[in-house]
Amino acid sequence: MQGIKQILHTGNKGVIQAAMEDTAQASIVVVGGGLAGLAAAIEALQQTQGTKADVVMVEKEPRTGGNSAKASSGINGAWTDTQKDQGIADSTEAFENDTLRSGRGLSNGTLVKRLTQESAQSVAWLQSHFSLDLNIIAQLGGHSAARTHRRPDTADGRPQPVGWGIVSTLAARLSDQPRFRLVSEAQVVELIKDTRTSASGVEGVVYKTTDGELHRLRASAVVLATGGFAGDGGAANGLLHKYAPQLASLPSTNGKFATGDGVKLGMAIGADLVGMEHVQVHPTGFVSPADPTAPTKFLAAEALRGAGGLLLNGKGERFVNELDTRDNVTDAINAACSSTSTRAGYPDADTNGPSAFLVLSQAAADAFGHGALGFYEKMRLINRATGISGLAAAMRVPLATLSKTLSSHDDVRSSGSVDEFGKKTFPQPALNADQTSLYFWAVVTPSIHYTMGGLRFDEKARVLQAGSQSPIPGLFAAGEVTGGLHGANRLAGNSLLECVVFGREAGRQAALAVLKTINEGKL
């Protein structure tokens, strides 16, 4: 390969350009700078303390964070110290059962067990090592207990988005590490295979920078943390069109960078794939009145429903258990809110597809937090209405129908029974106590959100070879690039958790590979 050089960006230290031979060297290469990649890098550095082993992260965007930065509902943890402090009863067994049930029998049980059993310590790791306040806990769809942890508003009412808070904190920690380097705006285009042995492992990457230059970087271990492919719906040759073409025309909550790069890299060297046809459609992507048919939607956090938000069709009627799993809620919106007479919308701003109203009472808004709610309002995604008559007028639904809908919900809530949709947890009343209190409402539509399929991996975060199912030496993966953990449907709050659990494990295993090389005198 001709003209290969190395350009390394070291976070806040600018650009370092070194005149080197065609092949540069690193101990560990982490591909992708979302939460899984950040956790892997931090753990690898921790496990190689006292050595000269270094970690190079290659990120194709200008900054780290990825889709993890967009996560808004929280991170799951079963039987955490925070739950205990708040008197919330839970268990890893219950969490495991909820995750398996959500996966529709297609989840890898070994992976699920590790995820759930290490959930409490993962939350504690973020709280204790990074001083992240994760003390707001909600019960989200598909969960049998309140276990999804997020951050509270600040004392002055500013929101603290949980995903952004976590990734920005971890990225700041890495920027101070002398053995860490970040290569930004660089896309890995090839995994370098070790052809010297019959094991055919991975010994580095080739990446391309924005100037078109190719750079070869050898390493003892490579961690793929590139995310999924839920952002490539517009690409006719993309993975979404290949594996789930029926969904390719839907809007997406993902950044356009989510194009399955790591999956393609693994495929090219014979890695096995699993569950590629399983793509999660989140039931609630915000519809903007300014651009109702926009292909990219801002996610209406699941925590909005976890706090007591209700879903209504265009007639002002409930039609689903708002705390059911995402796939079931999506199916219900598609069935009940697709016709011109039943879909929700704004005046002169039709979504041209299934859409529902999301409504929060004052109590539900208080429970969710007015910092984040205010952020949505500033983006003109959530609206206010005074009193139930004002709400009915704003949504253009009959007042009598809306009143009956909300009062029926509260009657069942007061009785402690189960409603007609199977809902048995009612976080907050739907009706306000007085006629002058505010309601908050939005229009939402199902949007592609997450891809459950990806590289087949094991509980040690090792990528497995197609056919033999044996680990590919030197190659590890974590996060949405992997498949098999979530089965047919991911449970809300498990994405950030898997990034921590298996990101850290990938970092540990990569560190072990490096330490072995050091002990053998090869590094």
Side-chain angles (χ1 to χ4, degrees):
M1 192 171 296
Q2 300 298 315
I4 296 176
K5 62 184 179 181
Q6 183 188 43
I7 299 179
L8 295 177
H9 303 252
T10 58
N12 57 3
K13 298 181 177 66
V15 178
I16 300 174
Q17 181 170 335
M20 309 184 79
E21 295 182 3
D22 279 359
T23 300
Q25 183 73 40
S27 302
I28 297 169
V29 173
V30 176
V31 187
L35 180 54
L38 295 169
I42 287 173
E43 190 66 25
L45 291 170
Q46 174 66 30
Q47 297 295 328
T48 55
Q49 280 188 330
T51 74
K52 294 182 179 180
D54 64 336
V55 175
V56 174
M57 177 177 286
V58 184
E59 165 58 52
K60 74 175 183 179
E61 292 297 296
R63 59 186 61 83
T64 56
N67 276 325
S68 301
K70 295 184 173 188
S72 52
S73 287
I75 178 171
N76 293 331
W79 205 222
T80 63
D81 289 340
T82 307
Q83 284 178 309
K84 296 172 188 176
D85 290 343
Q86 297 183 20
I88 298 172
D90 197 9
S91 69
T92 56
E93 292 78 15
F95 183 19
E96 181 180 348
N97 289 336
D98 290 346
T99 300
L100 291 170
R101 188 181 308 110
S102 179
R104 309 302 180 216
L106 297 177
S107 300
N108 181 305
T110 301
L111 297 176
V112 170
K113 186 172 289 292
R114 176 142 201 190
L115 178 84
T116 54
Q117 289 184 343
E118 294 188 10
S119 62
Q121 70 187 62
S122 296
V123 172
W125 182 68
L126 293 172
Q127 291 172 321
S128 61
H129 288 266
F130 303 97
S131 300
L132 284 161
D133 45 352
L134 298 166
N135 55 6
I136 301 297
I137 305 178
Q139 181 173 344
L140 302 188
H143 290 269
S144 58
R147 64 169 70 98
T148 309
H149 299 62
R150 69 179 192 272
R151 308 183 74 197
D153 292 344
T154 60
D156 60 359
R158 289 182 294 111
Q160 295 193 95
V162 61
W164 169 249
I166 293 173
V167 296
S168 61
T169 300
L170 269 60
R173 178 71 57 88
L174 281 171
S175 69
D176 293 331
Q177 302 301 311
R179 293 186 292 122
F180 173 77
R181 296 173 289 173
L182 172 65
V183 186
S184 60
E185 296 184 278
Q187 182 172 358
V188 172
V189 295
E190 180 185 347
L191 296 176
I192 302 173
K193 292 191 70 175
D194 182 359
T195 58
R196 295 167 295 182
T197 67
S198 59
S200 296
V202 171
E203 61 172 16
V205 303
V206 176
Y207 65 89
K208 182 170 67 175
T209 46
T210 54
D211 58 6
E213 292 278 357
L214 293 174
H215 311 254
R216 185 189 297 267
L217 182 60
R218 292 196 179 273
S220 298
V222 173
V223 176
L224 294 177
T226 52
F229 53 94
D232 78 346
N237 61 345
L239 294 175
L240 200 59
H241 269 275
K242 180 176 182 179
Y243 291 102
Q246 74 281 7
L247 302 177
S249 62
L250 291 182
S252 174
T253 64
N254 280 232
K256 293 182 179 180
F257 49 77
T259 53
D261 297 354
V263 174
K264 296 171 186 175
L265 291 169
M267 289 170 60
I269 64 163
D272 199 17
L273 303 182
V274 59
M276 293 292 288
E277 71 277 18
H278 298 303
V279 175
Q280 183 170 81
V281 178
H282 196 290
T284 57
F286 278 121
V287 173
S288 168
D291 191 1
T293 59
T296 301
K297 303 298 186 191
F298 203 94
L299 182 67
E302 189 125 357
L304 287 161
R305 286 176 284 128
L310 300 184
L311 292 173
L312 313 181
N313 65 17
K315 297 180 178 180
E317 304 161 332
R318 285 184 64 225
F319 56 89
V320 69
N321 169 9
E322 290 85 0
L323 297 183
D324 206 339
T325 54
R326 290 174 174 176
D327 53 349
N328 285 342
V329 177
T330 294
D331 288 345
I333 292 177
N334 289 333
C337 307
S338 289
S339 70
T340 54
S341 63
T342 59
R343 65 176 175 244
Y346 296 102
D348 303 318
D350 196 347
T351 62
N352 297 322
S355 53
F357 288 118
L358 174 64
V359 176
L360 286 82
S361 64
Q362 184 72 62
D366 292 344
F368 177 72
H370 285 276
L373 205 63
F375 172 75
Y376 294 145
E377 287 187 84
K378 288 179 180 178
M379 295 182 68
R380 296 187 62 209
L381 298 173
I382 278 187
N383 314 277
R384 296 185 177 199
T386 302
I388 191 168
S389 59
L391 179 63
M395 298 195 308
R396 297 175 299 150
V397 300
L399 175 58
T401 302
L402 183 60
S403 298
K404 181 180 178 181
T405 295
L406 301 189
S407 60
S408 295
H409 169 279
D410 287 358
D411 288 343
V412 178
R413 181 177 185 270
S414 299
S415 70
S417 57
V418 179
D419 74 7
E420 60 184 303
F421 309 110
K423 188 172 185 176
K424 56 185 178 181
T425 299
F426 302 85
Q428 301 294 336
L431 282 169
N432 288 335
D434 63 75
Q435 294 300 310
T436 60
S437 294
L438 292 174
Y439 289 93
F440 299 82
W441 66 279
V443 178
V444 294
T445 188
S447 305
I448 296 171
H449 183 58
Y450 189 92
T451 49
M452 276 74 69
L455 300 175
R456 192 185 295 273
F457 75 128
D458 66 11
E459 71 278 9
K460 293 185 178 180
R462 300 177 298 189
V463 177
L464 304 181
Q465 187 82 32
S468 68
Q469 300 295 292
S470 58
I472 298 175
L475 185 61
F476 309 92
E480 196 175 353
V481 70
T482 64
L485 170 61
H486 304 295
N489 181 65
R490 177 174 65 78
L491 191 65
N494 271 352
S495 180
L496 292 181
L497 178 60
E498 74 166 317
C499 289
V500 175
V501 171
F502 292 106
R504 293 184 69 194
E505 180 61 21
R508 286 188 207 103
Q509 295 298 326
L512 287 175
V514 170
L515 293 173
K516 179 181 178 182
T517 302
I518 292 174
N519 291 335
E520 292 174 349
K522 297 178 182 179
L523 187 64

